[in-house]
Amino acid sequence: MGADRGSTKRRSILMLPWLAHGHISPFFELAKRLTDHYSFHIYLCSTPVNLDHLRNTLPPFIQLVDLHLPSSFDKTLPPNSHTTKNLPPHLMPTLKSAFDQSEPAFSQILNSLRPDLLIYDFLMPWAPRAAARELGIKSVVFITGGAACHSFVTHYIAHPPETQFPFPNLDIVSSGEGQKTVEFLESGDDQGRLSNKDRYFQCLKSSSEIVLIKTFREIEGKYADYFSKLLGKEVVTVGGLVREPEAKTGDSDIINWLDQRDHSSPPVVFVSFGSEYFLSMEEMVEVAKGLERNKDLNFIWVVRFPEGAEQEKNLLLPEGFMERVEGRGLVVEGWAPQAKILQHERVAGFVSHCGWSSVLEGIVYGVPIVAMPMQLDQPWDAKLVEEIGVGKEVRRRKSDGGIDGEEMGKVIDEVLRNEEMKGRVRELSEKLQGKGDAELVAAADRLWSLIEGV
Ligand SMILES: C[C@@H]1O[C@H](OP(=O)(O)OP(=O)(O)OC[C@H]2O[C@@H](n3ccc(=O)[nH]c3=O)[C@H](O)[C@@H]2O)[C@H](O)[C@H](O)[C@H]1O
């Protein structure tokens, strides 16, 4: 008896992603595939503000469950800020503490829904403990990032500092590029109770005999195997979960702009730094410089500002920038239909912060990547992009580690001219078609057998 739809009974899974779009989106994609092909019923649990955009497009056998953070935080974290989207960075530790203190509410949800399994994220060690305590059920952590990064971070936490990471090309701590991420790992929530590295490692250790991760063995098999060795658990890949772009009103202006770039006009690059990161003023100036450097370059650039800090984009962009790029550059505020843009035939390059979902979308849609990592796992994702030959990283200034517009412009030109890289991206994109489904089938069966205890 497998997890296939022929099974007579449905097994229920409660999913609890971290309160960020870059986490909720992969959990929802996994939920859609598990309920679409297999006999699972999925409860997707998050704060109301994080679930609102999903309420009207729910496939069968997926149910949204609102989790309310303690009202004691309402002064520092009003309900519409119970998400990392547009949250001022200094409030992130407070959001983690508020989420931690929602454990009693989560325990009530466990008791009312009584799921057969919990799939959780790597930021809430209290969730698997609650599942075991309240219901005696197993829990599985689902890593929404890449295996290269997570195998390094786990190695960094589990081994003495002098132990050599087996893949030196990705040992960015030794190379001095990972300082910000090390600081992030050593820092913690605003009560100082739990460092991020302890929080993360407790989540990994609390997972049952398997760990799920959003990647393809084709591109990260050796890292997934090392991750498994470090954890002493089975690391089960689910493929890239690259979502099919949904048609949305308001996207047509951008798509029409792309359609108007005929084959005689220069190629277009899409520039985005994800749903969490906000460029500083200085970084905005350097990115603008990089896009202006090549007068022939067409581009779409998504610019974002923290909630309450929205400003007219021309206040933050260099004087006269919009006029100078008139006709070849489109600056979009807040959000753009990234998946649809990357699929467009006129888009020949992707300037990305290398958030993991963006890297996978660039690869699956066959668009070479100009890697400009900013924080978190992005430095490792950028190194992987270079290692598998689907892009090139923009090296930062040696003097102060800042991004350099001139260097960015050079790498854009180099990537757009690199026929071998374009061929490699196309070849990998074709190779990955269907690979993800095969990995998902195996993962669904593995979850089913875990629930059945076989
Ligand atoms: C897991 C973790 O999530 C975070 O998410 P973040 O949003 O920054 O980036 P992505 O993972 O690329 O996720 C971004 C997702 O939002 C979509 N999108 C984004 C901006 C936009 O304007 N339009 C869109 O459609 C995009 O297509 C992708 O699917 C951190 O990066 C972290 O590095 C990453 O490992």
Side-chain angles (χ1 to χ4, degrees):
M1 165 98 69
D4 62 79
R5 298 223 31 187
S7 307
T8 50
K9 59 185 174 184
R10 278 196 173 268
R11 288 301 189 182
S12 64
I13 296 176
L14 175 58
M15 287 187 169
L16 185 68
W18 167 238
L19 306 175
H21 174 83
H23 290 242
I24 291 166
S25 173
F27 270 74
F28 184 56
E29 287 307 315
L30 179 61
K32 282 196 288 190
R33 287 162 172 78
L34 288 178
T35 50
D36 199 24
H37 299 293
Y38 310 103
S39 291
F40 292 109
H41 182 108
I42 306 266
Y43 300 106
L44 180 61
C45 182
S46 190
T47 51
V49 67
N50 272 319
L51 296 176
D52 284 345
H53 72 291
L54 298 176
R55 294 191 200 280
N56 304 327
T57 58
L58 273 191
F61 307 114
I62 296 182
Q63 212 173 314
L64 302 181
V65 181
D66 287 342
L67 176 65
H68 298 280
L69 301 188
S71 55
S72 55
F73 285 85
D74 283 358
K75 287 200 176 41
T76 46
L77 282 174
N80 69 337
S81 65
H82 295 176
T83 173
T84 66
K85 191 165 184 172
N86 303 332
L87 185 76
H90 74 277
L91 284 177
M92 198 68 90
T94 307
L95 184 64
K96 274 188 198 138
S97 296
F99 197 39
D100 290 350
Q101 293 179 43
S102 68
E103 181 178 342
F106 181 66
S107 297
Q108 283 174 2
I109 288 170
L110 280 167
N111 280 298
S112 64
L113 299 178
R114 309 195 70 74
D116 297 304
L117 181 75
L118 168 68
I119 296 181
Y120 63 102
D121 211 327
F122 56 77
L123 283 156
M124 64 287 286
W126 42 268
R129 288 200 295 266
R133 180 187 65 240
E134 302 292 329
L135 303 178
I137 59 169
K138 289 185 174 180
S139 300
V140 172
V141 68
F142 173 37
I143 305 287
T144 53
C149 165
H150 287 274
S151 64
F152 179 86
V153 172
T154 305
H155 170 94
Y156 169 83
I157 295 172
H159 280 69
E162 64 280 2
T163 317
Q164 174 71 35
F165 182 57
F167 310 101
N169 174 40
L170 271 85
D171 187 346
I172 60 168
V173 170
S174 306
S175 65
E177 299 165 84
Q179 200 41 43
K180 270 173 76 174
T181 302
V182 168
E183 284 159 15
F184 170 76
L185 287 172
E186 298 300 342
S187 64
D189 59 33
D190 61 354
Q191 264 92 22
R193 286 167 314 179
L194 202 54
S195 71
N196 287 317
K197 75 176 182 182
D198 291 341
R199 178 184 290 272
Y200 171 79
F201 205 47
Q202 285 179 21
C203 284
L204 293 181
K205 289 195 291 186
S206 301
S207 190
S208 66
E209 51 266 51
I210 67 171
V211 166
L212 294 179
I213 189 163
K214 185 180 97 160
T215 192
F216 297 96
R217 286 200 62 83
E218 180 70 33
I219 57 174
E220 288 204 298
K222 66 183 179 184
Y223 298 112
D225 292 341
Y226 184 57
F227 192 33
S228 174
K229 185 173 164 224
L230 287 170
L231 292 174
K233 300 177 191 283
E234 196 183 332
V235 169
V236 178
T237 55
V238 297
L241 301 181
V242 172
R243 64 199 185 353
E244 273 313 303
E246 59 281 354
K248 273 191 179 162
T249 52
D251 296 344
S252 50
D253 296 351
I254 295 174
I255 301 306
N256 289 341
W257 187 88
L258 281 169
D259 292 341
Q260 286 154 19
R261 311 299 103 186
D262 62 29
H263 286 272
S264 63
S265 65
V268 180
V269 291
F270 176 61
V271 185
S272 173
F273 295 90
S275 70
E276 289 182 8
Y277 190 75
F278 301 105
L279 293 178
S280 66
M281 286 272 283
E282 197 255 346
E283 290 169 336
M284 294 279 284
V285 168
E286 291 303 318
V287 170
K289 200 188 292 177
L291 295 172
E292 272 202 78
R293 182 178 175 276
N294 174 346
K295 297 287 175 271
D296 274 342
L297 183 74
N298 284 342
F299 63 86
I300 297 175
W301 177 14
V302 188
V303 293
R304 303 179 60 250
F305 310 106
E307 189 99 354
E310 279 87 359
Q311 312 185 29
E312 280 300 310
K313 61 190 163 199
N314 50 30
L315 289 180
L316 276 171
L317 292 166
E319 184 72 30
F321 172 78
M322 295 301 288
E323 289 70 27
R324 293 192 296 273
V325 298
E326 174 70 32
R328 71 178 183 89
L330 188 63
V331 177
V332 177
E333 279 189 57
W335 187 265
Q338 174 167 304
K340 279 173 81 171
I341 292 168
L342 290 174
Q343 277 192 323
H344 197 284
E345 58 168 7
R346 301 301 300 134
V347 174
F350 181 18
V351 179
S352 171
H353 70 317
C354 294
W356 188 238
S357 297
S358 292
V359 166
L360 291 170
E361 286 161 13
I363 294 170
V364 167
Y365 294 135
V367 183
I369 294 169
V370 174
M372 295 183 72
M374 295 293 164
Q375 58 176 1
L376 304 175
D377 56 338
Q378 295 146 31
W380 286 277
D381 301 348
K383 290 285 182 285
L384 183 85
V385 158
E386 284 198 332
E387 184 178 270
I388 61 177
V390 296
K392 183 170 172 53
E393 182 175 352
V394 178
R395 293 298 182 267
R396 287 176 172 253
R397 284 195 301 262
K398 288 206 182 319
S399 55
D400 62 358
I403 57 176
D404 180 291
E406 183 62 20
E407 178 64 16
M408 173 188 165
K410 279 185 198 157
V411 174
I412 290 175
D413 289 350
E414 193 183 321
V415 166
L416 290 180
R417 280 199 305 269
N418 190 326
E419 294 305 322
E420 186 192 339
M421 183 183 285
K422 286 180 200 167
R424 168 65 181 147
V425 177
R426 263 197 307 275
E427 173 211 356
L428 192 52
S429 172
E430 283 151 21
K431 200 182 264 188
L432 292 177
Q433 300 306 327
K435 288 265 183 190
D437 295 348
E439 289 172 272
L440 194 81
V441 167
D445 278 343
R446 194 64 189 82
L447 289 172
W448 189 271
S449 62
L450 191 68
I451 292 171
E452 297 293 301
V454 293

